Amino acid sequence: MTHLTPYHFGSPAGAEHFTDRREELALIADRLTGGQNVILHGPRRYGKTSLLHRAIEAARKRGGRVGYVNLLRCSSRREVAQAITQGIFAGPLHGGTTRRMGRLVERLRVRPRLDFSPTGGVTVFFEPGMRDTDWPGAMEDACRLLAEASASHAVGLVLDEFQQIVEVDPALAGTFKAILDESPTVSYVIAGSHVHLMERLTTAPGAPLLAMGELLRLGPIPDGEMAPYLVARAQARRKHLTPEVALRICAMGGPAPNDIQRLAQHSFDVAGGSIGIAEVEAGMALAMGRESTTFAERYERLAPVARRVLHLASAPGGLVQPYGLAALRKVEMANANAVRKALASLEESELITRRPEGWEVADPFFRRWLQTDP
């Protein structure tokens, strides 16, 4: 299928818009068909979900039976149990007769309703309002069926936005540890975009899922891969883009691939037959202007100290020495404790991120908005 726009952002990318990540794709697909677990840390907008969908597709082509679960919208233990049971019954356990799937449901201590669509899909539904229900046990039962299926097929389950369980119930991390311990022949991919929460769950000392899988950290796509992709996509739509300007787009829109493609698309939109630096600047202004109201509302919700720290992090080069005397003077604080709290709050809200060189506003368009005079 030929797309009208050369670049893609805002949702998982399909094959036409998927670039690089070859090593990560091969590794996850191999593990999904090899009974090995993976812990994937991927900041938001870095293409984590796109990568996972591609890996699932590759694993299924090899004969693996893989399910996908996104926990982001779960707000209760019932919803977590429903999402996981749905991923298992609609993925690895799907197939055969309705009677067969009904017999599997009968083995769950909390029995959901299964709704079958005319196209063969299945939806799992636990009734709301069920009190004193053993939802962790319901998850364990569904995963136990998955483990049994691994005796005859390579099976796997991808749990995306896994950090959401901390918001629902931190004790669920212990449930998942027990599930992984009891399922050595099932491949689980535990993936999340809220990096500091994922570290607390999977890599920090004493983390409940410490060493429970092969750790994979998703970084930026190298400019040497991203820039040629931008050039090729523009040329395919009959607009000229030089490698030098493509690198400028990477620098202004990066490091998240989603943001780079978004800036590239806006630059493409404002350009005539050629995309130059002026068009990239105009594309940045267009993207920033379309979200200025959202940025203003986001900014107004912050405490005064957090606002001042955010401004420092928006400067070129970011905030390198947040607790130094110069920074304390600029945020009008006498000690570092208030700055430390502001940084923690901004990171938790995903407004800033820590790079090797220092703290930086995570969204390049919000960063430019902060740099612009009111």
Side-chain angles (χ1 to χ4, degrees):
M1 177 180 178
T2 300
H3 293 265
L4 297 177
T5 57
Y7 307 109
H8 183 86
F9 56 92
S11 62
E16 185 177 359
H17 294 283
F18 190 85
T19 182
D20 198 48
R21 307 293 193 206
R22 290 180 291 273
E23 292 183 7
E24 296 93 336
L25 176 59
L27 185 146
I28 297 173
D30 286 344
R31 301 301 183 260
L32 279 172
T33 53
Q36 297 292 323
N37 300 327
V38 176
I39 305 293
L40 176 62
H41 293 187
R44 208 173 299 280
R45 307 190 310 279
Y46 270 53
K48 168 184 57 62
T49 300
S50 299
L51 171 64
L52 292 172
H53 284 313
R54 294 278 290 168
I56 291 170
E57 179 183 343
R60 287 174 175 169
K61 287 181 179 179
R62 301 179 191 179
R65 298 187 177 183
V66 184
Y68 174 80
V69 179
N70 191 318
L71 299 172
L72 184 62
R73 297 186 181 182
C74 295
S75 60
S76 68
R77 295 191 301 171
R78 178 189 68 83
E79 291 178 350
V80 172
Q82 178 172 289
I84 290 172
T85 307
Q86 165 77 29
I88 292 172
F89 273 80
L93 299 187
H94 187 257
T97 64
T98 302
R99 180 177 298 178
R100 169 188 168 273
M101 298 194 70
R103 287 198 299 266
L104 291 175
V105 166
E106 291 177 356
R107 296 176 58 190
L108 303 177
R109 73 189 75 184
V110 184
R111 297 181 183 178
R113 186 180 78 231
L114 296 186
D115 292 336
F116 296 91
S117 70
T119 59
V122 59
T123 301
V124 173
F125 186 74
F126 286 112
E127 292 292 341
M130 299 173 67
R131 297 183 178 180
D132 302 322
T133 301
D134 184 6
W135 294 119
M139 286 182 266
E140 291 173 343
D141 288 347
C143 292
R144 196 167 291 117
L145 294 177
L146 188 62
E148 291 179 8
S150 68
S152 56
H153 297 90
V155 300
L157 187 67
V158 175
L159 300 172
D160 200 1
E161 301 298 351
F162 186 79
Q163 75 283 339
Q164 184 63 23
I165 70 163
V166 175
E167 303 293 333
V168 174
D169 182 0
L172 288 177
T175 299
F176 281 102
K177 182 182 186 307
I179 288 172
L180 268 60
D181 283 338
E182 296 173 5
S183 309
T185 56
V186 178
S187 173
Y188 284 92
V189 177
I190 308 294
S193 58
H194 215 319
V195 175
H196 82 280
L197 288 179
M198 286 298 293
E199 289 175 345
R200 189 192 308 172
L201 288 166
T202 62
T203 62
L209 299 183
L210 183 64
M212 296 301 294
E214 185 172 359
L215 178 61
L216 181 61
R217 298 182 186 273
L218 204 60
I221 294 176
D223 290 350
E225 296 282 349
M226 196 68 186
Y229 165 80
L230 298 179
V231 171
R233 296 296 301 169
Q235 292 176 345
R237 298 298 181 271
R238 299 182 180 181
K239 289 194 180 182
H240 181 65
L241 174 65
T242 67
E244 292 75 20
V245 175
L247 287 172
R248 182 66 176 270
I249 294 174
C250 292
M252 290 176 60
N258 180 86
D259 296 335
I260 293 173
Q261 294 217 54
R262 182 179 172 196
L263 177 57
Q265 182 62 52
H266 286 308
S267 303
F268 181 93
D269 290 341
V270 301
S274 180
I275 305 172
I277 298 300
E279 286 74 23
V280 177
E281 289 289 345
M284 171 63 78
L286 177 62
M288 183 186 70
R290 286 177 174 173
E291 288 202 61
S292 59
T293 301
T294 300
F295 292 154
E297 293 173 350
R298 186 181 300 168
Y299 182 78
E300 289 170 355
R301 289 195 294 266
L302 299 175
V305 175
R307 292 183 187 180
R308 293 193 286 269
V309 170
L310 191 65
H311 271 290
L312 292 182
S314 71
L319 178 54
V320 179
Q321 295 181 320
Y323 311 120
L325 184 59
L328 292 178
R329 286 176 175 171
K330 289 180 180 179
V331 298
E332 301 176 30
M333 288 290 115
N335 61 75
N337 191 47
V339 175
R340 188 173 291 107
K341 289 181 178 179
L343 286 172
S345 173
L346 291 169
E347 183 185 28
E348 187 171 349
S349 302
E350 300 185 65
L351 296 180
I352 64 171
T353 188
R354 190 165 191 172
R355 313 287 184 211
E357 59 275 10
W359 294 97
E360 183 180 66
V361 175
D363 184 331
F365 308 103
F366 189 29
R367 183 165 63 242
R368 178 62 73 90
W369 183 86
L370 289 164
Q371 295 170 353
T372 305
D373 291 333

